[in-house]
Amino acid sequence: MDIVSVQGLLAMLQIIVIDILLAGDNAIVIGMAARNLPAHLQKKAIFWGTAGAIILRLVMAFLFVEALNTIPALRLVGGILLLWIGYKLVVDDDSEHNIEAKDSLRSAIMTIVIADGIMGIDNVIGVVGAAGGHMTMVAIGMLITVPIIVYGSTLFVKVIERFPIILYVGGGILGWVGAGMSVEDTLIAHTVEPYALYIKIAAVILVVGASLVVKQLKK
């Protein structure tokens, strides 16, 4: 597929649209991970975390797309990990961040990379399909959307500071996405498919409920 052809440009547009549509969840994760850092470190965490996440997505696109659809339990494990990340991001508050800024920054970056990489599995599959396996187009499309994701993450940090309840919304979204990934795993999909909606709702309640209980116990 020629990138400068009409077909190539349409494919590129599809890739960018898919990335933008799925950037909302990623911006939430990035914003939540960076919210407790000092202002001068938030931009660094967002920049390097996003850069690491994009690199991880490209590696996934080049090496693991087929594996993601064929290896049993990969989606299941990733989904469960997202539930844990959602819980941790909600219960970790400013008062408990007494480690050095350098360690906090590294932790935030790693959280961003891991969570975004897991959540980006469906994104990678979507853009590779839209590109018809043309990896150059996949890479260009992802790089074009980086500024959009970074801007959305920075904005989300500011919104969190004004409306802390959004943290619970973010945790609920991670619970929903994690459960959605888990129930689609080939190992269990045939068994849990009729209950997928209930499992997703239960995951949201579990993440948000556990976060509320733990935060109340800490007071």
Side-chain angles (χ1 to χ4, degrees), residues 25-113:
D25 289 345
N26 303 101
I28 290 173
V29 171
I30 296 170
M32 290 174 69
R35 77 185 191 279
N36 288 332
L37 293 173
H40 69 284
L41 291 180
Q42 287 181 357
K43 291 183 179 180
K44 289 184 179 180
I46 290 172
F47 176 82
W48 290 112
T50 303
I54 293 299
I55 292 172
L56 180 59
R57 285 195 192 192
L58 290 175
V59 171
M60 289 163 56
F62 276 97
L63 301 176
F64 301 122
V65 170
E66 291 300 322
L68 292 172
N69 289 323
T70 58
I71 296 179
L74 190 59
R75 285 177 176 267
L76 177 61
V77 173
I80 294 173
L81 182 56
L82 270 185
L83 296 185
W84 173 252
I85 290 174
Y87 162 78
K88 289 295 291 180
L89 286 174
V90 176
V91 298
D92 287 344
D93 53 40
D94 295 339
S95 62
E96 297 183 352
H97 280 66
N98 52 11
I99 55 180
E100 294 180 5
K102 180 178 65 175
D103 295 331
S104 297
L105 178 61
R106 185 185 303 116
S107 176
I109 292 173
M110 290 302 299
T111 298
I112 291 168
V113 172

Coordinates of all heavy atoms in Angstrom, one line a residue, residues 25-113:
D25 N -9.0 6.9 27.3 CA -8.6 6.0 28.5 C -7.2 6.2 28.8 O -6.8 6.2 30.0 CB -8.9 4.5 28.1 CG -10.4 4.3 28.1 OD1 -11.2 5.1 28.6 OD2 -10.8 3.2 27.5
N26 N -6.3 6.3 27.8 CA -4.9 6.4 28.0 C -4.6 7.7 28.7 O -3.7 7.8 29.5 CB -4.2 6.2 26.7 CG -4.5 4.9 26.0 OD1 -5.3 4.9 25.0 ND2 -3.9 3.9 26.4
A27 N -5.2 8.8 28.3 CA -5.0 10.1 28.9 C -5.4 10.1 30.3 O -4.7 10.6 31.2 CB -5.8 11.2 28.2
I28 N -6.5 9.3 30.7 CA -6.9 9.2 32.1 C -5.8 8.5 32.9 O -5.4 8.9 34.0 CB -8.2 8.4 32.1 CG1 -9.4 9.3 31.6 CG2 -8.5 8.0 33.6 CD1 -10.7 8.6 31.5
V29 N -5.3 7.4 32.3 CA -4.2 6.6 33.0 C -3.0 7.5 33.3 O -2.5 7.5 34.4 CB -3.8 5.4 32.2 CG1 -2.6 4.7 32.9 CG2 -5.0 4.4 32.2
I30 N -2.6 8.2 32.2 CA -1.4 9.0 32.3 C -1.6 10.1 33.3 O -0.7 10.4 34.2 CB -1.0 9.6 30.9 CG1 -0.6 8.5 30.0 CG2 0.1 10.6 31.0 CD1 -0.5 8.9 28.5
G31 N -2.8 10.8 33.3 CA -3.1 11.9 34.2 C -3.1 11.4 35.6 O -2.6 12.1 36.5
M32 N -3.8 10.2 35.8 CA -3.9 9.7 37.2 C -2.5 9.3 37.8 O -2.2 9.6 38.9 CB -4.8 8.4 37.2 CG -6.2 8.8 36.9 SD -7.2 7.3 36.8 CE -7.2 6.6 38.5
A33 N -1.6 8.8 36.9 CA -0.3 8.4 37.4 C 0.6 9.6 37.7 O 1.4 9.5 38.6 CB 0.4 7.5 36.3
A34 N 0.4 10.7 37.1 CA 1.2 11.9 37.2 C 0.7 12.9 38.3 O 1.4 13.8 38.6 CB 1.4 12.6 35.9
R35 N -0.6 12.7 38.7 CA -1.2 13.7 39.5 C -0.5 14.0 40.8 O -0.6 15.2 41.3 CB -2.7 13.3 39.8 CG -2.8 12.2 40.9 CD -4.3 11.8 41.1 NE -4.4 11.0 42.3 CZ -4.1 9.7 42.4 NH1 -3.6 9.1 41.3 NH2 -4.3 9.0 43.5
N36 N 0.2 13.1 41.4 CA 0.8 13.3 42.7 C 2.2 13.8 42.7 O 2.8 14.1 43.7 CB 0.7 12.0 43.6 CG -0.7 11.6 44.0 OD1 -1.5 12.5 44.2 ND2 -0.9 10.4 44.2
L37 N 2.7 14.0 41.5 CA 4.1 14.5 41.4 C 4.0 16.1 41.5 O 3.0 16.7 41.2 CB 4.7 14.1 40.0 CG 4.9 12.7 39.8 CD1 5.3 12.4 38.4 CD2 6.0 12.2 40.7
P38 N 5.1 16.7 41.9 CA 5.2 18.1 41.9 C 5.0 18.6 40.4 O 5.3 17.9 39.5 CB 6.7 18.4 42.3 CG 7.1 17.2 43.1 CD 6.4 16.0 42.4
A39 N 4.5 19.8 40.3 CA 4.2 20.4 39.0 C 5.3 20.3 38.0 O 5.1 20.0 36.8 CB 3.7 21.8 39.1
H40 N 6.6 20.5 38.5 CA 7.7 20.5 37.5 C 8.1 19.1 37.1 O 8.8 19.0 36.1 CB 8.9 21.2 38.2 CG 9.5 20.5 39.3 ND1 9.0 20.4 40.5 CD2 10.6 19.7 39.3 CE1 9.7 19.7 41.3 NE2 10.8 19.2 40.6
L41 N 7.6 18.1 37.8 CA 7.9 16.7 37.3 C 6.7 16.1 36.5 O 6.9 15.1 35.9 CB 8.2 15.9 38.6 CG 9.5 16.2 39.3 CD1 9.6 15.2 40.5 CD2 10.7 16.0 38.3
Q42 N 5.5 16.7 36.6 CA 4.4 16.1 36.0 C 4.6 16.0 34.4 O 4.3 15.0 33.8 CB 3.1 16.9 36.3 CG 2.6 16.7 37.7 CD 1.3 17.5 38.0 OE1 0.9 18.3 37.1 NE2 0.8 17.3 39.1
K43 N 5.1 17.1 33.9 CA 5.3 17.2 32.4 C 6.4 16.2 32.0 O 6.2 15.5 31.0 CB 5.7 18.6 32.0 CG 4.6 19.6 32.1 CD 5.0 20.9 31.5 CE 3.9 22.0 31.6 NZ 4.3 23.3 31.1
K44 N 7.4 16.0 32.8 CA 8.4 15.0 32.5 C 7.8 13.6 32.6 O 8.1 12.8 31.7 CB 9.6 15.1 33.5 CG 10.4 16.3 33.4 CD 11.6 16.3 34.4 CE 12.5 17.5 34.2 NZ 13.6 17.5 35.2
A45 N 7.0 13.3 33.6 CA 6.4 12.0 33.7 C 5.5 11.7 32.5 O 5.5 10.6 31.9 CB 5.6 11.9 35.0
I46 N 4.7 12.7 32.1 CA 3.8 12.6 31.0 C 4.6 12.4 29.7 O 4.2 11.5 28.9 CB 2.8 13.8 30.9 CG1 1.9 13.8 32.1 CG2 2.1 13.8 29.6 CD1 1.0 15.0 32.2
F47 N 5.6 13.2 29.5 CA 6.4 13.1 28.3 C 7.1 11.7 28.1 O 6.9 11.0 27.1 CB 7.4 14.2 28.2 CG 8.3 14.1 27.0 CD1 7.9 14.6 25.7 CD2 9.5 13.5 27.0 CE1 8.7 14.5 24.6 CE2 10.4 13.4 25.9 CZ 9.9 13.9 24.7
W48 N 7.8 11.4 29.2 CA 8.6 10.1 29.1 C 7.7 8.9 29.2 O 8.0 7.9 28.5 CB 9.7 10.1 30.1 CG 10.8 11.1 29.9 CD1 11.1 12.2 30.6 CD2 11.7 11.0 28.8 NE1 12.1 12.9 30.0 CE2 12.6 12.2 28.9 CE3 11.9 10.1 27.7 CZ2 13.6 12.4 28.0 CZ3 13.0 10.4 26.8 CH2 13.8 11.5 27.0
G49 N 6.7 9.0 30.0 CA 5.7 7.9 30.1 C 5.0 7.6 28.7 O 4.9 6.5 28.3
T50 N 4.6 8.7 28.1 CA 4.0 8.6 26.8 C 4.9 8.1 25.8 O 4.6 7.2 24.9 CB 3.4 10.0 26.3 OG1 2.5 10.5 27.3 CG2 2.7 9.8 25.0
A51 N 6.2 8.6 25.8 CA 7.2 8.1 24.8 C 7.4 6.6 25.0 O 7.5 5.9 24.0 CB 8.5 8.9 25.0
G52 N 7.6 6.2 26.3 CA 7.8 4.8 26.5 C 6.6 3.9 26.1 O 6.8 2.8 25.5
A53 N 5.4 4.5 26.3 CA 4.2 3.7 25.9 C 4.1 3.6 24.4 O 3.7 2.5 23.9 CB 2.9 4.4 26.5
I54 N 4.4 4.6 23.7 CA 4.4 4.6 22.2 C 5.4 3.6 21.7 O 5.1 2.8 20.8 CB 4.6 6.0 21.6 CG1 3.5 6.9 22.0 CG2 4.8 5.9 20.1 CD1 2.2 6.5 21.4
I55 N 6.6 3.6 22.3 CA 7.6 2.6 21.9 C 7.2 1.2 22.1 O 7.3 0.3 21.3 CB 9.0 2.9 22.6 CG1 9.5 4.2 22.1 CG2 9.9 1.7 22.4 CD1 10.8 4.7 22.9
L56 N 6.5 1.0 23.3 CA 6.0 -0.3 23.6 C 4.9 -0.8 22.7 O 4.9 -1.9 22.2 CB 5.5 -0.3 25.1 CG 4.9 -1.6 25.6 CD1 5.9 -2.7 25.5 CD2 4.3 -1.5 27.0
R57 N 4.1 0.2 22.3 CA 3.0 -0.2 21.3 C 3.6 -0.6 20.0 O 3.1 -1.5 19.3 CB 2.1 1.0 21.1 CG 1.2 1.3 22.2 CD 0.1 2.2 21.8 NE -0.7 2.7 22.9 CZ -1.9 3.3 22.8 NH1 -2.3 3.6 21.6 NH2 -2.5 3.8 23.8
L58 N 4.7 0.1 19.5 CA 5.3 -0.2 18.3 C 5.9 -1.6 18.3 O 5.9 -2.3 17.4 CB 6.4 0.9 17.9 CG 5.8 2.3 17.5 CD1 6.9 3.3 17.4 CD2 5.0 2.2 16.3
V59 N 6.6 -1.9 19.5 CA 7.2 -3.2 19.6 C 6.1 -4.3 19.5 O 6.2 -5.3 18.9 CB 7.9 -3.3 21.0 CG1 8.3 -4.8 21.2 CG2 9.1 -2.4 20.9
M60 N 4.9 -4.0 20.2 CA 3.8 -4.9 20.2 C 3.3 -5.1 18.8 O 3.0 -6.2 18.3 CB 2.7 -4.4 21.1 CG 3.0 -4.5 22.6 SD 1.9 -3.5 23.6 CE 0.3 -4.1 23.1
A61 N 3.2 -4.0 18.0 CA 2.7 -4.1 16.7 C 3.6 -4.9 15.8 O 3.1 -5.6 14.9 CB 2.5 -2.6 16.1
F62 N 4.9 -4.7 16.0 CA 5.9 -5.4 15.1 C 6.0 -6.9 15.5 O 6.2 -7.8 14.6 CB 7.3 -4.8 15.2 CG 7.4 -3.6 14.3 CD1 7.3 -2.3 14.8 CD2 7.8 -3.8 13.0 CE1 7.4 -1.2 13.9 CE2 7.9 -2.7 12.1 CZ 7.7 -1.4 12.6
L63 N 5.9 -7.2 16.8 CA 6.3 -8.6 17.2 C 5.1 -9.4 17.7 O 5.2 -10.7 17.6 CB 7.4 -8.5 18.3 CG 8.7 -7.8 17.9 CD1 9.6 -7.7 19.1 CD2 9.4 -8.5 16.7
F64 N 4.1 -8.8 18.4 CA 3.2 -9.6 19.2 C 1.8 -9.6 18.8 O 0.9 -10.1 19.5 CB 3.3 -9.2 20.6 CG 4.7 -9.3 21.2 CD1 5.3 -8.2 21.8 CD2 5.3 -10.5 21.2 CE1 6.6 -8.3 22.3 CE2 6.6 -10.6 21.8 CZ 7.3 -9.5 22.3
V65 N 1.4 -8.9 17.6 CA 0.0 -8.8 17.3 C -0.6 -10.2 17.1 O -1.7 -10.5 17.6 CB -0.2 -8.0 16.0 CG1 -1.6 -8.1 15.4 CG2 0.2 -6.6 16.2
E66 N 0.1 -11.1 16.4 CA -0.5 -12.5 16.2 C -0.6 -13.2 17.5 O -1.5 -13.9 17.8 CB 0.4 -13.2 15.2 CG 0.3 -12.8 13.8 CD -1.1 -12.8 13.2 OE1 -1.8 -13.8 13.6 OE2 -1.5 -11.9 12.5
A67 N 0.5 -13.0 18.4 CA 0.5 -13.7 19.7 C -0.7 -13.3 20.5 O -1.3 -14.1 21.3 CB 1.8 -13.4 20.4
L68 N -1.1 -12.0 20.5 CA -2.2 -11.5 21.3 C -3.5 -12.2 21.0 O -4.3 -12.3 21.9 CB -2.3 -10.0 21.1 CG -1.1 -9.1 21.6 CD1 -1.3 -7.7 21.2 CD2 -1.1 -9.2 23.1
N69 N -3.6 -12.6 19.8 CA -4.9 -13.3 19.4 C -4.8 -14.8 19.5 O -5.9 -15.4 19.4 CB -5.2 -12.9 17.9 CG -5.6 -11.5 17.7 OD1 -6.3 -10.9 18.5 ND2 -5.1 -10.9 16.6
T70 N -3.7 -15.3 19.8 CA -3.6 -16.8 19.8 C -3.1 -17.4 21.2 O -3.5 -18.5 21.5 CB -2.6 -17.3 18.7 OG1 -1.3 -16.6 19.0 CG2 -3.1 -16.9 17.4
I71 N -2.4 -16.6 22.0 CA -1.9 -17.2 23.2 C -3.0 -17.1 24.3 O -3.4 -16.0 24.7 CB -0.6 -16.4 23.7 CG1 0.5 -16.6 22.7 CG2 -0.2 -16.9 25.1 CD1 1.8 -15.8 23.1
P72 N -3.4 -18.3 24.8 CA -4.4 -18.3 25.8 C -4.0 -17.6 27.1 O -2.8 -17.6 27.5 CB -4.7 -19.8 26.1 CG -4.1 -20.5 24.9 CD -3.0 -19.6 24.4
A73 N -4.9 -16.9 27.8 CA -4.6 -16.3 29.1 C -3.9 -15.0 29.1 O -3.8 -14.3 30.1 CB -3.9 -17.3 30.1
L74 N -3.4 -14.6 27.9 CA -2.6 -13.3 27.8 C -3.6 -12.1 28.1 O -3.2 -11.2 28.9 CB -2.0 -13.1 26.4 CG -1.0 -12.0 26.3 CD1 0.1 -12.1 27.3 CD2 -0.5 -11.9 24.9
R75 N -4.7 -12.1 27.5 CA -5.7 -11.0 27.8 C -6.2 -11.1 29.2 O -6.5 -10.1 29.8 CB -6.9 -11.1 26.8 CG -6.5 -10.6 25.4 CD -7.7 -10.8 24.4 NE -7.4 -10.2 23.2 CZ -7.7 -8.9 22.8 NH1 -8.3 -8.2 23.6 NH2 -7.4 -8.5 21.6
L76 N -6.4 -12.3 29.7 CA -6.9 -12.6 31.0 C -6.0 -12.0 32.1 O -6.4 -11.2 33.0 CB -7.1 -14.0 31.3 CG -7.6 -14.5 32.7 CD1 -9.0 -13.9 33.0 CD2 -7.7 -16.0 32.8
V77 N -4.7 -12.3 31.9 CA -3.7 -11.7 32.9 C -3.6 -10.2 32.8 O -3.6 -9.5 33.8 CB -2.3 -12.4 32.6 CG1 -1.3 -11.7 33.5 CG2 -2.4 -13.9 32.9
G78 N -3.6 -9.7 31.5 CA -3.5 -8.3 31.3 C -4.7 -7.5 31.9 O -4.6 -6.5 32.5
G79 N -5.9 -8.1 31.8 CA -7.1 -7.5 32.3 C -7.1 -7.4 33.9 O -7.4 -6.4 34.5
I80 N -6.7 -8.5 34.5 CA -6.5 -8.6 35.9 C -5.5 -7.5 36.4 O -5.7 -6.8 37.4 CB -6.2 -10.0 36.4 CG1 -7.3 -11.0 36.1 CG2 -5.9 -10.0 37.9 CD1 -7.0 -12.4 36.4
L81 N -4.4 -7.4 35.7 CA -3.4 -6.4 36.1 C -4.0 -5.0 36.0 O -3.7 -4.1 36.8 CB -2.2 -6.5 35.2 CG -1.0 -5.6 35.4 CD1 -0.5 -5.8 36.9 CD2 0.1 -5.9 34.5
L82 N -4.8 -4.8 35.0 CA -5.5 -3.4 34.9 C -6.4 -3.1 36.1 O -6.5 -2.0 36.6 CB -6.3 -3.3 33.6 CG -5.6 -2.8 32.4 CD1 -6.6 -2.7 31.2 CD2 -4.9 -1.5 32.7
L83 N -7.1 -4.2 36.6 CA -7.9 -4.0 37.8 C -7.0 -3.5 39.0 O -7.4 -2.6 39.7 CB -8.6 -5.3 38.2 CG -9.6 -5.8 37.2 CD1 -10.3 -7.0 37.8 CD2 -10.7 -4.8 36.8
W84 N -5.9 -4.1 39.2 CA -5.0 -3.8 40.2 C -4.4 -2.4 40.1 O -4.4 -1.6 41.0 CB -3.9 -4.8 40.3 CG -2.8 -4.4 41.3 CD1 -1.5 -4.0 41.0 CD2 -2.9 -4.4 42.7 NE1 -0.8 -3.8 42.2 CE2 -1.7 -4.0 43.3 CE3 -3.9 -4.8 43.6 CZ2 -1.4 -3.9 44.6 CZ3 -3.7 -4.7 45.0 CH2 -2.4 -4.2 45.5
I85 N -4.1 -2.0 38.8 CA -3.5 -0.7 38.6 C -4.6 0.4 38.9 O -4.3 1.4 39.4 CB -3.0 -0.6 37.1 CG1 -1.8 -1.4 36.9 CG2 -2.8 0.9 36.7 CD1 -1.3 -1.5 35.5
G86 N -5.8 0.1 38.4 CA -6.9 1.0 38.7 C -7.1 1.3 40.2 O -7.3 2.4 40.6
Y87 N -7.1 0.2 41.0 CA -7.2 0.3 42.4 C -6.1 1.1 43.0 O -6.3 2.0 43.8 CB -7.3 -1.1 43.0 CG -7.0 -1.2 44.5 CD1 -8.0 -0.8 45.4 CD2 -5.7 -1.6 45.0 CE1 -7.7 -0.9 46.8 CE2 -5.5 -1.6 46.3 CZ -6.4 -1.3 47.2 OH -6.2 -1.3 48.6
K88 N -4.9 0.8 42.6 CA -3.7 1.5 43.2 C -3.7 3.0 42.9 O -3.3 3.8 43.7 CB -2.4 0.8 42.7 CG -2.2 -0.5 43.3 CD -1.9 -0.5 44.8 CE -0.6 0.2 45.1 NZ -0.3 0.3 46.6
L89 N -4.1 3.3 41.7 CA -4.1 4.7 41.3 C -5.1 5.5 42.0 O -4.9 6.7 42.3 CB -4.4 4.8 39.8 CG -3.2 4.4 38.8 CD1 -3.7 4.5 37.4 CD2 -2.0 5.3 39.0
V90 N -6.2 4.9 42.5 CA -7.2 5.6 43.2 C -6.8 5.8 44.7 O -6.9 6.8 45.3 CB -8.6 4.9 43.1 CG1 -9.6 5.6 44.0 CG2 -9.1 4.9 41.7
V91 N -6.3 4.7 45.3 CA -6.0 4.7 46.7 C -4.7 5.5 47.1 O -4.6 5.9 48.2 CB -6.0 3.3 47.3 CG1 -7.3 2.6 47.2 CG2 -4.8 2.5 46.7
D92 N -3.8 5.6 46.2 CA -2.6 6.3 46.5 C -2.9 7.8 46.5 O -3.2 8.4 45.5 CB -1.5 6.1 45.4 CG -0.9 4.7 45.5 OD1 -1.1 4.1 46.6 OD2 -0.3 4.2 44.6
D93 N -2.7 8.5 47.6 CA -2.9 9.9 47.7 C -1.7 10.7 48.1 O -0.7 10.1 48.4 CB -4.1 10.2 48.7 CG -3.8 9.6 50.1 OD1 -2.6 9.7 50.5 OD2 -4.7 9.1 50.7
D94 N -1.8 12.0 48.0 CA -0.6 12.9 48.2 C 0.0 12.7 49.6 O 1.3 12.8 49.7 CB -1.1 14.3 48.1 CG -1.5 14.7 46.7 OD1 -1.2 13.9 45.8 OD2 -2.2 15.7 46.6
S95 N -0.7 12.4 50.6 CA -0.2 12.4 51.9 C 0.8 11.3 52.1 O 1.6 11.3 53.1 CB -1.3 12.3 53.0 OG -2.0 11.1 52.8
E96 N 0.7 10.3 51.3 CA 1.6 9.1 51.5 C 2.8 9.1 50.6 O 3.5 8.1 50.6 CB 0.7 7.8 51.3 CG -0.4 7.7 52.3 CD -1.1 6.4 52.1 OE1 -0.9 5.7 51.2 OE2 -2.0 6.1 53.0
H97 N 2.9 10.1 49.8 CA 4.0 10.1 48.8 C 5.2 10.8 49.5 O 5.5 12.0 49.3 CB 3.7 10.8 47.5 CG 2.9 9.9 46.6 ND1 1.7 9.4 46.9 CD2 3.3 9.4 45.4 CE1 1.2 8.7 45.9 NE2 2.2 8.6 45.0
N98 N 6.0 10.1 50.3 CA 7.1 10.7 51.0 C 8.4 10.2 50.5 O 9.4 10.3 51.2 CB 7.0 10.4 52.5 CG 6.8 8.9 52.8 OD1 6.9 8.1 51.9 ND2 6.5 8.6 54.0
I99 N 8.4 9.5 49.4 CA 9.7 9.1 48.8 C 10.3 10.2 47.9 O 9.6 11.2 47.7 CB 9.4 7.8 47.9 CG1 8.4 8.1 46.8 CG2 9.0 6.6 48.8 CD1 8.1 6.9 45.9
E100 N 11.5 10.0 47.5 CA 12.2 11.0 46.8 C 11.5 11.3 45.5 O 10.9 10.4 44.9 CB 13.6 10.6 46.5 CG 14.5 10.5 47.8 CD 15.9 10.0 47.5 OE1 16.2 9.9 46.3 OE2 16.7 9.8 48.4
A101 N 11.6 12.5 45.0 CA 10.9 12.9 43.8 C 11.4 12.0 42.6 O 10.7 11.6 41.7 CB 11.2 14.3 43.5
K102 N 12.7 11.7 42.6 CA 13.3 10.8 41.5 C 12.6 9.5 41.5 O 12.2 9.0 40.4 CB 14.8 10.6 41.7 CG 15.4 9.8 40.6 CD 16.9 9.7 40.9 CE 17.2 8.9 42.1 NZ 18.7 8.7 42.3
D103 N 12.4 8.9 42.6 CA 11.7 7.6 42.7 C 10.2 7.7 42.3 O 9.7 6.8 41.6 CB 11.8 7.0 44.1 CG 13.2 6.6 44.4 OD1 14.0 6.4 43.5 OD2 13.6 6.7 45.6
S104 N 9.6 8.8 42.7 CA 8.2 9.0 42.4 C 8.0 9.2 40.8 O 7.1 8.7 40.2 CB 7.7 10.3 43.0 OG 7.7 10.2 44.4
L105 N 9.0 9.9 40.2 CA 8.9 10.1 38.8 C 9.1 8.8 38.1 O 8.4 8.5 37.1 CB 10.0 11.1 38.4 CG 10.2 11.4 36.9 CD1 8.9 12.0 36.3 CD2 11.4 12.3 36.6
R106 N 10.1 8.0 38.5 CA 10.3 6.7 37.9 C 9.1 5.8 38.0 O 8.7 5.1 37.1 CB 11.5 6.0 38.5 CG 11.9 4.7 37.8 CD 13.0 4.0 38.5 NE 14.2 4.9 38.6 CZ 14.7 5.3 39.8 NH1 14.1 5.0 40.9 NH2 15.8 6.1 39.8
S107 N 8.5 5.8 39.2 CA 7.3 5.0 39.4 C 6.2 5.4 38.5 O 5.4 4.6 38.0 CB 6.9 5.1 40.9 OG 5.7 4.4 41.1
A108 N 6.0 6.8 38.4 CA 4.9 7.3 37.6 C 5.1 6.9 36.1 O 4.2 6.5 35.4 CB 4.8 8.8 37.7
I109 N 6.3 7.0 35.6 CA 6.6 6.7 34.3 C 6.4 5.2 34.0 O 5.8 4.8 33.0 CB 8.1 7.0 33.9 CG1 8.3 8.5 33.9 CG2 8.5 6.4 32.6 CD1 9.7 9.0 33.7
M110 N 6.8 4.3 34.9 CA 6.6 2.9 34.8 C 5.1 2.5 34.8 O 4.7 1.7 34.0 CB 7.4 2.1 35.9 CG 8.9 2.2 35.7 SD 9.4 1.5 34.1 CE 8.8 -0.2 34.2
T111 N 4.4 3.2 35.7 CA 2.9 2.9 35.7 C 2.3 3.3 34.4 O 1.4 2.6 33.8 CB 2.3 3.7 36.8 OG1 2.8 3.3 38.1 CG2 0.8 3.5 36.9
I112 N 2.7 4.5 33.8 CA 2.1 4.9 32.6 C 2.4 3.9 31.5 O 1.5 3.6 30.7 CB 2.7 6.3 32.2 CG1 2.1 7.4 33.2 CG2 2.3 6.7 30.8 CD1 2.8 8.7 33.1
V113 N 3.7 3.5 31.4 CA 4.1 2.6 30.3 C 3.4 1.3 30.4 O 2.8 0.8 29.4 CB 5.6 2.4 30.3 CG1 6.0 1.3 29.3 CG2 6.4 3.7 30.0

